[in-house]
Amino acid sequence: MRFTNLFIPTLREDPAEAEVISHILMVRAGLIRKLAAGIYSYLPLGLRVLRKVENIIRQEMNRAGAQEILMPAAQPAELWRESGRWDKYGPELWRIKDRHNHDYCLAPTHEEVVTDIIRREIRSYRDLPFNLYQVQTKFRDEIRPRFGLMRGREFIMKDAYSFDRDDAGADVSYRAMYEAYRRIFARCGLKFSAVEADTGAIGGSFSHEFMVLAETGEEAVVSCPACGYAANTEKAEIRPLDQTIPDQGAVLTRILTPEVRTIAQLSSFLGVSPREIVKTIIYKTDDAPVAVLVRGDHEVNAIKLKNVLGGSEADLADPDLIQELTGAPVGFSGPVGLKVKILADQALLAMSRLVTGANERDYHLIGVVPGRDFSPEGYYDLRLAQPGDPCPRCQAGLQLTRGIEVGHTFKLGTKYSEPMQATYLDEQGRDRPIVMGCYGIGVGRTAAAAIEQNHDAEGIIWPVPLAPFEAVVLPLQVQDEAVRDAAEKLYNSLLNQGVETLLDDRDERPGIKFKDADLIGFPFRLAVSRKTLAQNKVEFKERRDAETRLFDLAEAPILVRERRDSLLIRLD
Ligand code: ATP
Ligand code: MG
């Protein structure tokens, strides 16, 4: 391909609204353009990258035995009412009406439609198992669309759905997808980690998130350097501490603490460690409010709380409600005398006496003893994991890293097949629900994550498997016929070697060509100039390296092809 034939609108300046590097570079390198919040067009280079990701995904899904289909984005509300998600999904579900005033949505995911397809066709155990997938446009009216392709309102996802006779079969299907996902992200040339995750709104019995590791990631991941355990902080189990005996001799004392509201303030005011203080946090739930107790240096984990509450939403109470329930403003809540259901984090079992709020403005209590001065309804694992926490599997200290969630696998079980009556007849002629799994990969988000992980001050550094072109040939003086001819010849030889090459045939200064090549991030750059030609050479540089080398013009295409082959990730 020639630069002059391609639409590559590169920009010198950072776009104003872009906050993360992948977004900035995708816009500057001319890969994408914004139409509306979270809605983007893919320009030629952007589409080439997207297709690379999709091709790897398709190859690995096919290899794992999944079959490609394509389902509609526009879906009737009736199906979503059947699964119960028309009401449950909330404002992220993009709802529309047709001309007859019938409710539809633009689908954020396809469990309903795929379940509807198979329930009409599958009759017998002989029809199972199988796996259907698609690469298709999804719509989610995200509350905060941002970071370019990372969190769009319209985006491309690969979603797959497995159908099995029983749980054991579903586990085999899940494992196959898990392996396919590992192969996909490895073949994309990305550093990633598969972590145990919460099943969240989609539900189901277990799930993994595939995280591309990058400092800018939205997700916090804890991992164990000793045994390899990895989980997102929402899911990470906390190993219970050894329990202690409550200090019945402690004297419950009310202490004046004027304007002392935060753990840090209280800790320095009283001269006690945050580990001796207990935070009391009031939540509104679907029914009565609850108070959650965690140690001063810990944070409540909203997902664990929701699970303990049996799936009820839990939102922080507003100051008025806190005043009404505790009799005090924010910052002075405590469990003693509180007429609200109390849930305590299990870490409190290892505390013999506590410092808490007094439910009275400007007062705290010391010498509070659980069981004597207040009684929680129960002790649960309610907090977020922190670096240094003992690994739940092997007790080594957990480390905290950040990641971008690019893929998600769920074992769904019968969550959709039961309400939607997707059943089959087993060998004994009994009607049984089909056991399902679902598996998603954000295609655009994967491309963006690759940039978050691979860039420098000049621009993108594409991993070879995802690069829009593997090599760029730069004739530095296009006016000079000899330079032009040598570059053309080199370009054609590279194509003959099967190297995806772009010829920068623009009549531009060398500085501009170098800058654009670095910005777009082609893995290999070959510059032909009068100077190199005088020695019958071409200047070769890898985007990732600082140094340049001179290759013989005749040998360069083979050397580049060999280097390319060594960087394309091949798995057995
Ligand atoms: P997140 O927690 O980031 O919102 P999710 O859990 O809602 O993600 P899934 O429903 O599991 O995501 O979707 C599967 C995959 O689709 C995700 O792993 C991610 O790669 C991608 N994805 C989800 N939401 C978006 C979005 N708004 N824009 C781009 N990609 C997305
Ligand atoms: Mg989401």
Side-chain angles (χ1 to χ4, degrees):
M1 208 72 91
R2 282 156 206 278
F3 210 120
T4 50
N5 291 342
L6 264 183
F7 178 46
I8 311 179
T10 59
L11 302 174
R12 291 280 154 256
E13 303 295 324
D14 289 353
E17 84 282 2
E19 297 166 72
V20 294
I21 196 71
S22 58
H23 186 192
I24 293 172
L25 290 176
M26 278 188 156
V27 174
R28 281 195 48 206
L31 271 57
I32 57 169
R33 283 296 182 264
K34 178 169 147 180
L35 175 66
I39 304 182
Y40 289 84
S41 301
Y42 304 94
L43 304 188
L45 290 185
L47 187 62
R48 289 181 71 97
V49 174
L50 219 65
R51 293 282 185 255
K52 293 254 173 128
V53 179
E54 289 176 9
N55 283 343
I56 293 172
I57 292 174
R58 284 199 169 90
Q59 283 168 11
E60 293 299 333
M61 294 309 288
N62 296 343
R63 184 178 192 272
Q67 312 165 59
E68 186 166 3
I69 60 171
L70 185 57
M71 293 181 273
Q75 303 184 353
E78 284 77 66
L79 263 185
W80 287 77
R81 293 203 174 98
E82 243 187 277
S83 72
R85 285 208 291 188
W86 184 259
D87 295 323
K88 261 212 196 126
Y89 216 101
E92 227 176 76
L93 186 64
W94 203 316
R95 294 154 213 260
I96 51 175
K97 282 191 191 291
D98 72 5
R99 65 170 72 199
H100 307 294
N101 211 30
H102 293 148
D103 287 324
Y104 277 74
C105 68
L106 298 174
T109 172
H110 280 68
E111 283 81 9
E112 279 77 0
V113 167
V114 82
T115 306
D116 183 60
I117 294 173
I118 60 114
R119 71 176 166 184
R120 293 167 189 275
E121 314 303 330
I122 299 304
R123 293 282 161 266
S124 135
Y125 66 93
R126 280 184 297 262
D127 302 331
L128 298 169
F130 64 95
N131 185 321
L132 300 174
Y133 80 96
Q134 63 175 348
V135 179
Q136 191 259 8
T137 301
K138 300 279 182 278
F139 295 85
R140 294 183 184 181
D141 200 356
E142 298 271 358
I143 183 162
R144 272 201 299 161
R146 59 193 175 144
F147 306 159
L149 300 190
M150 209 72 98
R151 186 168 296 285
R153 295 198 295 163
E154 173 179 325
F155 60 96
I156 296 173
M157 194 202 285
K158 185 287 300 178
D159 44 329
Y161 305 89
S162 63
F163 305 94
D164 277 273
R165 299 173 189 177
D166 52 27
D167 233 36
D171 286 354
V172 173
S173 297
Y174 185 90
R175 200 73 216 167
M177 284 295 106
Y178 179 89
E179 286 308 324
Y181 273 38
R182 294 196 71 89
R183 293 176 61 92
I184 288 165
F185 297 116
R187 283 189 55 195
C188 286
L190 300 172
K191 290 189 274 302
F192 69 97
S193 174
V195 309
E196 292 180 16
D198 190 84
T199 48
I202 295 202
S205 36
F206 57 81
S207 109
H208 287 87
E209 286 173 356
F210 288 75
M211 301 280 191
V212 166
L213 304 175
E215 274 156 36
T216 48
E218 280 188 290
E219 309 281 335
V221 179
V222 288
S223 58
C224 175
C227 74
Y229 170 82
N232 70 18
T233 43
E234 290 168 346
K235 164 80 186 190
E237 302 152 34
I238 311 287
R239 177 182 276 272
L241 301 167
D242 291 336
Q243 291 189 21
T244 191
I245 299 160
D247 176 6
Q248 300 296 348
V251 183
L252 182 65
T253 314
R254 190 166 147 268
I255 305 233
L256 179 66
T257 52
E259 291 305 321
V260 172
R261 290 165 192 272
T262 66
I263 296 296
Q265 289 165 346
L266 187 61
S267 160
S268 71
F269 187 87
L270 295 177
V272 299
S273 152
R275 300 168 64 95
E276 300 169 66
I277 303 173
V278 160
K279 290 192 263 200
T280 305
I281 302 153
I282 314 280
Y283 286 87
K284 281 186 299 197
T285 74
D286 291 348
D287 32 82
V290 297
V292 176
L293 308 183
V294 291
R295 217 169 72 182
D297 57 333
H298 291 157
E299 299 299 330
V300 176
N301 180 327
I303 303 258
K304 287 182 182 172
L305 175 58
K306 188 172 166 181
N307 291 341
V308 167
L309 291 170
S312 160
E313 292 299 333
D315 296 318
L316 285 175
D318 51 45
D320 288 345
L321 183 62
I322 292 172
Q323 176 79 45
E324 181 193 320
L325 293 172
T326 70
V330 179
F332 301 100
S333 305
V336 181
L338 194 63
K339 301 260 178 318
V340 172
K341 179 161 98 177
I342 297 173
L343 306 175
D345 181 65
Q346 59 187 10
L348 269 67
L349 288 168
M351 298 170 79
S352 59
R353 47 154 86 190
L354 326 171
V355 175
T356 71
N359 297 324
E360 186 179 350
R361 177 186 272 274
D362 293 342
Y363 283 93
H364 281 83
L365 298 176
I366 61 169
V368 177
V369 177
R372 183 190 73 182
D373 302 324
F374 72 95
S375 296
E377 195 200 67
Y379 291 87
Y380 307 91
D381 176 5
L382 284 173
R383 73 173 175 94
L384 287 171
Q386 292 177 348
D389 278 343
C391 168
R393 303 273 186 278
C394 80
Q395 295 210 48
L398 292 175
Q399 291 176 345
L400 191 71
T401 44
R402 299 206 70 82
I404 299 162
E405 181 202 315
V406 286
H408 207 164
T409 53
F410 290 93
K411 186 176 162 199
L412 289 171
T414 56
K415 188 179 150 85
Y416 294 91
S417 46
E418 266 183 61
M420 295 185 63
Q421 288 156 28
T423 61
Y424 71 98
L425 294 177
D426 71 8
E427 276 135 307
Q428 280 76 43
R430 286 173 305 199
D431 212 26
R432 289 192 177 279
I434 296 171
V435 185
M436 291 172 56
C438 74
Y439 318 91
I441 293 180
V443 180
R445 191 185 282 186
T446 300
I451 299 176
E452 291 294 331
Q453 206 175 64
N454 300 280
H455 65 268
D456 63 13
E458 309 309 318
I460 305 169
I461 307 176
W462 284 112
V464 171
L466 302 188
F469 288 93
E470 292 163 339
V472 64
V473 173
L474 309 183
L476 295 186
Q477 301 92 17
V478 279
Q479 309 291 5
D480 187 317
E481 203 181 318
V483 170
R484 216 170 48 225
D485 288 352
E488 284 278 344
K489 223 171 131 204
L490 180 61
Y491 165 65
N492 282 310
S493 309
L494 282 162
L495 292 182
N496 289 338
Q497 289 294 329
V499 178
E500 293 175 14
T501 309
L502 181 70
L503 176 66
D504 190 348
D505 54 345
R506 293 175 299 170
D507 186 7
E508 290 283 6
R509 282 183 290 116
I512 294 205
K513 293 191 177 184
F514 284 131
K515 263 202 148 15
D516 279 341
D518 280 350
L519 173 63
I520 299 166
F522 308 106
F524 309 118
R525 184 183 89 190
L526 297 110
V528 183
S529 66
R530 288 191 196 103
K531 233 168 91 188
T532 66
L533 268 190
Q535 303 167 262
N536 216 17
K537 304 260 186 197
V538 52
E539 185 198 83
F540 172 83
K541 181 176 173 299
E542 290 194 31
R543 178 65 181 85
R544 211 174 271 284
D545 299 339
E547 81 270 13
T548 57
R549 279 184 283 169
L550 287 177
F551 285 170
D552 279 342
L553 263 175
E555 284 175 23
I558 293 171
L559 293 173
V560 173
R561 196 246 302 142
E562 286 174 354
R563 182 68 183 138
R564 191 272 320 264
D565 289 348
S566 76
L567 290 174
L568 266 187
I569 293 105
R570 296 197 196 286
L571 302 172
D572 296 331

